[in-house]
Amino acid sequence: MSQDNQNEQSNPAEHLNQTKVDHERVRFETKLLHFGGEVDAATGASSVPLYQASTFHHEDIFNPPQHDYSRSGNPTRQVLEDYIALLEGGVQGFAYASGMAAISSTFMMLSAGDHIIVTEDVYGGTYRLLTSILNRMGIECTFVDMTDLDQVKGALQSNTKAVYIETPSNPTLKITDIKEVTSWSKDNGLLTILDNTFMTPYYQRPIEQGVDIVLHSATKFLGGHSDVLAGLAVARTPELGARLKQLQNGLGTVLGVQDSWLLMRGMKTLGARMTYSEQSAAKLAAWLSGRKDIEAVYYPGLLNHPGREIHEKQCSGYGAVVSFDVGSGERAKQVLNAVKLPLVAVSLGAVESILSYPAMMSHAAMGEKVRHERGITDGLLRFSVGLEDIDDLIADLDQALGVDR
Ligand SMILES: *Cc1c(COP(=O)(O)O)cnc(C)c1O
């Protein structure tokens, strides 16, 4: 069918993507606002129009329109896809119905018989995809501690095709040396894929460090308001872009028009939100570290965080997620029931703070033994710091924790 075959190589939505700004000359914060969709060339409107259409009229059958069917390409979604490509410094971006849609579509680059090396504390949904769906399709994986390059090297097989990184990892915020793993991966002809959800391109741009494909759950910091589910991918080269385009169109995992618009609305304030939340997260991590009744605090900005130096080499900030161990499952549940400000929920990266309980939420699918081995203890809580006043958040957590023993 023609709509499936056309636009395999995407055309930029030229009339929408006009900007007077030279992206080579401005800093990241400016690009967030002046990405190409800031003014609609046709009307001067201050936001990207919603092209709520599934198909496009062929005025001249010999000269088809730029977009012909919205699964293959939609002008509103296209602006978002160009926006994330600009922010990540890649050549082509893709928007999907969720982070998992972005991740699963990307894994479809592999074939039966292929093997992939994956960071052991990978996002729970990705773990589930690999161990209960892709395994049925003959795609094998080996989980390794990616903070240790020797383990990565040791997992290499003759059929290995890709390396999958998450740094900082969830929820214990372990740091992988992106350049080290990527250069080894390149030397062995492997594809490098990185889930950049926690840092966002505001703090970490993996493509600049050699990574081939960057993935996002845009549901988190990029969207930023707990009101849209979305995923994004960015390719480093046109060849990889063409492969992802074929998969996105062939699998039909695209993001809808309304959600594309909503996501762009959130992304414009990414810098301001990240900066504010990070300041608060640093304060929270320091406060927790000073308490005697907290077993461990995980935050890449803490002086005692293993991997802090590597993180600082590859990243310009520490982010807004702080994990901490209150000692037992019983106490964790007590805290979750006693807090008044944060949402007690799955997810992170929003304007409101979100407190989550990995053992029973994001990592519930993981067997208890594996979970404990990976530091996801029954007392571990993950705090995604939002935009509330940090002193209020600390006071709330203080009353929820009770007397410091
Ligand atoms: C939430 C999350 C995902 C999955 O994204 P969805 O939008 O929920 O499908 C993937 N990776 C990380 C690191 C996440 O936090």
Side-chain angles (χ1 to χ4, degrees):
M1 289 196 319
S2 75
Q3 73 259 26
D4 282 341
N5 298 331
Q6 270 157 26
N7 296 339
E8 288 281 295
Q9 195 67 45
S10 102
N11 303 307
E14 274 160 21
H15 70 293
L16 292 179
N17 262 352
Q18 290 180 357
T19 181
K20 295 192 184 107
V21 177
D22 177 357
H23 288 139
E24 301 290 319
R25 299 179 70 96
V26 296
R27 291 178 183 81
F28 191 88
E29 297 270 11
T30 304
K31 288 187 210 172
L32 277 173
L33 283 310
H34 300 272
F35 54 95
E38 64 267 26
V39 178
D40 171 35
T43 63
S46 61
S47 85
V48 180
L50 280 155
Y51 283 87
Q52 190 72 50
S54 60
T55 193
F56 299 83
H57 178 58
H58 291 55
E59 191 66 45
D60 170 0
I61 196 71
F62 298 108
N63 187 18
Q66 187 187 357
H67 296 284
D68 69 350
Y69 190 64
S70 279
R71 170 161 44 74
S72 314
N74 173 282
T76 307
R77 191 178 83 227
Q78 180 78 58
V79 177
L80 166 64
E81 292 179 329
D82 294 344
Y83 188 9
I84 191 62
L86 171 72
L87 298 183
E88 286 287 4
V91 301
Q92 203 173 349
F94 301 92
Y96 304 86
S98 67
M100 285 317 302
I103 294 166
S104 55
S105 299
T106 301
F107 276 134
M108 288 297 126
M109 292 174 89
L110 301 171
S111 303
D114 289 349
H115 170 254
I116 175 163
I117 303 171
V118 182
T119 180
E120 69 178 4
D121 36 14
V122 69
Y123 174 71
T126 310
Y127 179 82
R128 203 179 311 133
L129 170 69
L130 286 159
T131 56
S132 64
I133 302 176
L134 293 178
N135 60 328
R136 287 196 286 104
M137 271 132 226
I139 295 166
E140 282 186 89
C141 65
T142 303
F143 295 101
V144 299
D145 177 356
M146 269 200 194
T147 62
D148 177 3
L149 186 65
D150 288 335
Q151 284 202 30
V152 183
K153 289 179 178 169
L156 185 69
Q157 300 179 181
S158 58
N159 58 342
T160 305
K161 293 287 156 61
V163 177
Y164 191 92
I165 309 171
E166 239 176 83
T167 182
S169 71
N170 177 32
T172 55
L173 305 161
K174 284 205 241 162
I175 307 301
T176 292
D177 189 324
I178 301 174
K179 269 203 178 131
E180 192 180 71
V181 173
T182 306
S183 72
W184 173 83
S185 176
K186 270 201 170 46
D187 289 347
N188 288 279
L190 313 177
L191 198 65
T192 323
I193 304 165
L194 189 146
D195 181 336
N196 203 25
T197 300
F198 270 50
M199 282 299 115
T200 81
Y202 183 62
Y203 286 136
Q204 178 167 279
R205 288 185 290 282
I207 287 177
E208 290 174 1
Q209 307 187 45
V211 165
D212 294 309
I213 295 172
V214 173
L215 298 173
H216 282 283
S217 169
T219 311
K220 316 294 166 56
F221 290 104
L222 290 171
H225 293 72
S226 301
D227 55 10
V228 61
L229 199 64
L232 296 169
V234 180
R236 189 175 54 81
T237 67
E239 295 71 32
L240 290 167
R243 286 171 71 191
L244 286 180
K245 178 77 193 176
Q246 188 218 25
L247 288 166
Q248 185 198 37
N249 188 34
L251 295 165
T253 43
V254 294
L255 186 64
V257 176
Q258 305 260 354
D259 285 345
S260 295
W261 187 91
L262 203 51
L263 180 52
M264 286 189 268
R265 184 199 219 264
M267 285 165 70
K268 291 177 189 177
T269 55
L270 177 70
R273 287 184 286 107
M274 285 304 262
T275 306
Y276 187 90
S277 288
E278 183 191 49
Q279 265 174 21
S280 299
K283 214 166 160 181
L284 176 67
W287 178 77
L288 285 164
S289 302
R291 286 185 70 112
K292 291 189 289 293
D293 61 346
I294 300 294
E295 305 263 303
V297 184
Y298 304 94
Y299 184 65
L302 289 175
L303 286 171
N304 64 355
H305 189 79
R308 181 175 191 243
E309 273 175 36
I310 295 167
H311 185 76
E312 288 178 344
K313 192 181 70 169
Q314 63 197 17
C315 203
S316 58
Y318 306 109
V321 177
V322 181
S323 294
F324 55 101
D325 193 332
V326 297
S328 71
E330 210 178 312
R331 186 155 188 245
K333 286 169 207 148
Q334 172 209 310
V335 171
L336 289 160
N337 281 335
V339 288
K340 299 191 178 112
L341 287 177
L343 277 181
V344 173
V346 168
S347 200
L348 58 118
V351 288
E352 64 277 344
S353 292
I354 301 179
L355 183 61
S356 66
Y357 187 34
M360 281 175 72
M361 294 176 178
S362 53
H363 292 69
M366 200 175 261
E368 190 177 289
K369 186 168 171 285
V370 181
R371 188 161 57 69
H372 286 170
E373 275 167 15
R374 293 179 193 175
I376 307 161
T377 53
D378 295 341
L380 192 74
L381 293 171
R382 189 188 69 195
F383 205 116
S384 167
V385 184
L387 303 183
E388 299 91 343
D389 185 289
I390 185 57
D391 293 332
D392 288 340
L393 289 173
I394 288 177
D396 183 38
L397 195 56
D398 192 33
Q399 65 78 25
L401 284 164
V403 185
D404 190 356
R405 287 163 297 167

